[in-house]
């Protein structure tokens, strides 16, 4: 709230009319000794092929290396599988109570007789979809992933087409999936950035499906297996998300934690051991929470300004942002943000609701750190003939 008052004050001094009177800025507090010190480098994993720290609220990569390099996703692939299942469920195409068969193909390709992780569901037996999905998520069951793919799309190949379609839809521009489990296959690739985008999308779009990732252990029949994400036991703020390992991919971990209102997502790919991927991920989370903070600057649909409109039934139009405007800043520098609005000097009716009219930009120390289109929050129809004529004369008079 304090920042919003400061932003309103800054914008008001630029001559913009606001929907509410800005609160006077409070007296500046003395600068802390650390305010002007640079943020130390992130604790880069020594052996990883790629890694990053992403702010969940904004999607901004706070630090990383090789974030767009092609990597083998291993079992982190199953996060994509979870996303597809949740999306298909939301569309009404499958239900959590569906009986999913552990086919012989799924059992032979990904069951206990293979070298990979398995769920323990019996061959040629069915289980509710939600339980089969937990077997895939918690125990990283390759067999469960295959069974789910067959149930949702008929075959692994058809399911992979859904995976790629949804990946494109959520902004994963450098990924291509050929199977639902992540065992090494030609053409099955992603990037650290794309995986973070995927994790962020699952948390945002399907929180119930995401919640399965914090289950610490699962029992299927006589077999109890633990979640391989060691951070679930080491850091109470960690509530997901997925591990992966193959000889080609190395040890991988996408983790997410929430402390207070702030959430971060980390990705560590190609590490040397199960413990090291957890140690490196923990260090990145601690660094991100220590040195960065995220804030919501403006709510969607709330008026930020009411510029004058010519030739309309109404003489003003409320403008604001269509989605919340969020920002990531170095911790302690929130109050140094400055906002400005770029709106045309003259607006004429008709104006459609949602029409882009300008931009709002937020800067920190002269650098733009967030921006969003300013849109009309309601429609303004054309005024009557005489009002349009009168406004035309006034506009001409002001221009000479």
């Amino acid at each position: 709230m304090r920042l919003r008052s400061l932003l309103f004050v800054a914008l008001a001094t630029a001559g913009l009319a606001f929907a509410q009177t800005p609160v006077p800025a409070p007296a500046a507090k003395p600068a802390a000794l650390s305010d002007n010190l640079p943020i130390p480098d992130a604790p880069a994993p020594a052996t990883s092929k790629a890694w990053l720290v992403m702010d969940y609220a904004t999607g901004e990569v706070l630090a990383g290396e090789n974030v767009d390099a092609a990597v083998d996703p291993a079992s982190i692939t199953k996060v994509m599988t979870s996303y597809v299942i949740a999306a298909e469920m939301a569309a009404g195409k499958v239900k959590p109570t569906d009986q999913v068969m552990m086919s012989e193909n799924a059992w032979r390709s990904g069951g206990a007789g293979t070298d990979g992780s398995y769920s323990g569901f019996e061959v040629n037996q069915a289980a509710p979809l939600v339980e089969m999905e937990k077997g895939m998520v918690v125990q990283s069951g390759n067999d469960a992933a295959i069974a789910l793919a067959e149930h949702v799309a008929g075959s692994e190949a058809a399911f992979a087409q859904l995976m790629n379609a949804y990946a494109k839809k959520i902004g994963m521009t450098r990924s291509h999936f050929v199977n639902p489990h992540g065992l090494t296959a030609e053409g099955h690739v992603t990037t650290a950035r794309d995986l973070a985008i995927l994790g962020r999308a699952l948390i945002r779009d399907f929180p119930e499906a995401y919640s399965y990732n914090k289950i610490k252990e699962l029992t299927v029949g006589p077999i109890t297996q633990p979640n391989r994400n060691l951070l679930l036991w080491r850091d109470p703020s960690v509530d997901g998300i997925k591990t992966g390992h193959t000889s080609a991919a190395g040890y991988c971990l996408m983790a997410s934690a929430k402390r207070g209102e702030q959430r971060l997502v980390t990705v560590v790919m190609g590490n040397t051991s199960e413990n090291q991927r957890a140690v490196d991920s923990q260090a990145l989370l601690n660094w991100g929470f220590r040195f960065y903070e995220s804030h919501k600057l403006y709510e969607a649909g709330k008026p930020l300004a009411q510029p004058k409109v010519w030739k309309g039934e109404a003489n003003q139009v409320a403008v604001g942002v269509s989605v919340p405007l969020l920002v990531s800043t170095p911790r302690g520098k929130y109050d140094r943000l400055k906002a400005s609005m770029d709106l045309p000097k003259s607006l004429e009716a008709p104006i459609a609701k949602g029409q882009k009219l300008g931009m709002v930009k937020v800067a920190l120390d002269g650098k733009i750190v967030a921006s969003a289109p300013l849109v009309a929050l309601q429609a303004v129809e054309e005024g009557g003939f005489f009002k349009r004529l009168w406004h035309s004369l006034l506009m001409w008079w002001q221009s000479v």
Side-chain angles (χ1 to χ4, degrees):
M1 196 67 188
R2 183 180 174 210
L3 173 62
R4 188 169 298 172
S5 298
L6 292 173
L7 296 178
F8 280 158
V9 171
L11 292 168
T13 59
L16 296 172
F18 282 90
Q20 62 184 66
T21 302
V23 177
K29 62 181 181 180
L33 291 175
S34 63
D35 277 357
N36 295 317
L37 294 179
I39 293 176
D41 293 338
T47 59
S48 291
K49 297 176 182 177
W51 61 272
L52 64 72
V53 186
M54 177 179 282
D55 181 86
Y56 167 79
T58 64
E60 179 182 349
V61 175
L62 304 179
E65 290 181 353
N66 300 323
V67 298
D68 293 318
V71 292
D72 185 333
S75 281
I76 300 181
T77 297
K78 290 163 184 150
V79 179
M80 189 74 244
T81 301
S82 289
Y83 190 94
V84 172
I85 293 168
E88 294 292 283
M89 195 180 300
K93 298 178 182 178
V94 294
K95 301 187 296 295
T97 54
D98 283 358
Q99 293 297 304
V100 176
M101 177 66 66
M102 178 59 68
S103 69
E104 186 168 343
N105 173 60
W107 180 75
R108 289 189 181 278
S109 301
T114 66
D115 292 332
S117 51
Y118 64 96
S119 66
F121 290 99
E122 293 185 21
V123 62
N124 293 325
Q125 298 295 313
L129 183 149
V130 67
E131 295 305 315
M132 189 72 73
E133 185 174 2
K134 290 176 183 177
M136 177 189 71
V137 172
V138 180
Q139 300 165 329
S140 200
N142 296 325
D143 52 352
I146 297 170
L148 287 163
E150 291 174 341
H151 179 81
V152 171
S155 70
E156 290 183 77
F159 188 82
Q161 292 181 41
L162 287 179
M163 296 172 77
N164 290 317
Y166 278 110
K168 183 178 180 180
K169 185 175 182 180
I170 63 177
M172 299 173 68
T173 60
R174 293 178 172 87
S175 296
H176 184 260
F177 299 99
V178 301
N179 64 56
H181 41 69
L183 293 176
T184 302
E186 184 177 355
H188 191 83
V189 295
T190 187
T191 68
R193 189 195 301 272
D194 273 7
L195 289 179
I197 290 171
L198 170 60
R200 183 173 178 246
L202 183 65
I203 296 167
R204 178 192 66 225
D205 299 341
F206 304 113
E208 182 175 357
Y210 173 71
S211 71
Y212 303 155
N213 291 273
K214 67 182 178 182
I215 299 173
K216 291 184 176 180
E217 65 177 24
L218 186 69
T219 299
V220 175
I223 302 172
T224 299
Q225 298 184 74
N227 194 314
R228 291 169 174 80
N229 183 357
L230 299 180
L231 292 184
L232 294 174
W233 283 267
R234 298 179 181 181
D235 184 342
S237 70
V238 173
D239 54 13
I241 177 169
K242 188 72 186 75
T243 63
H245 172 253
T246 63
S247 57
Y251 289 85
C252 309
L253 173 59
M254 173 160 61
S256 183
K258 186 177 182 182
R259 299 180 188 176
E261 295 302 311
Q262 184 181 13
R263 179 182 287 280
L264 298 176
V265 177
T266 61
V267 177
V268 172
M269 304 299 292
N271 217 313
T272 54
S273 71
E274 184 176 12
N275 181 63
Q276 193 60 48
R277 69 187 175 190
V279 169
D280 289 340
S281 297
Q282 182 75 79
L284 291 172
L285 287 170
N286 289 343
W287 176 87
F289 283 119
R290 170 60 184 85
F291 293 107
Y292 283 89
E293 56 188 351
S294 53
H295 296 275
K296 182 185 294 184
L297 302 184
Y298 300 120
E299 294 279 358
K302 296 294 181 68
L304 298 181
Q306 293 191 11
K308 182 177 178 60
V309 176
W310 297 98
K311 303 181 183 180
E313 288 184 351
N315 293 325
Q316 292 180 315
V317 60
V319 300
V321 293
S322 59
V323 295
L325 181 57
L326 307 166
V327 65
S328 302
T329 66
R331 191 168 293 279
K333 295 188 177 182
Y334 182 55
D335 292 345
R336 292 161 62 174
L337 294 173
K338 297 188 181 298
S340 62
M341 287 190 186
D342 181 12
L343 286 167
K345 293 182 178 179
S346 179
L347 294 173
E348 293 186 38
I351 295 173
K353 183 178 180 180
Q355 180 179 332
K356 179 182 175 181
L357 301 176
M359 292 290 294
V360 58
K361 299 178 182 179
V362 181
L364 176 65
D365 299 332
K367 179 182 178 182
I368 300 297
V369 293
S371 63
L374 287 170
V375 301
L377 299 181
Q378 76 268 345
V380 178
E381 303 296 336
E382 281 189 328
F385 172 77
F386 290 107
K387 186 172 186 180
R388 298 199 310 274
L389 178 62
W390 175 242
H391 278 198
S392 294
L393 291 171
L394 290 176
M395 291 172 72
W396 173 81
W397 179 261
Q398 292 184 7
S399 67
V400 298

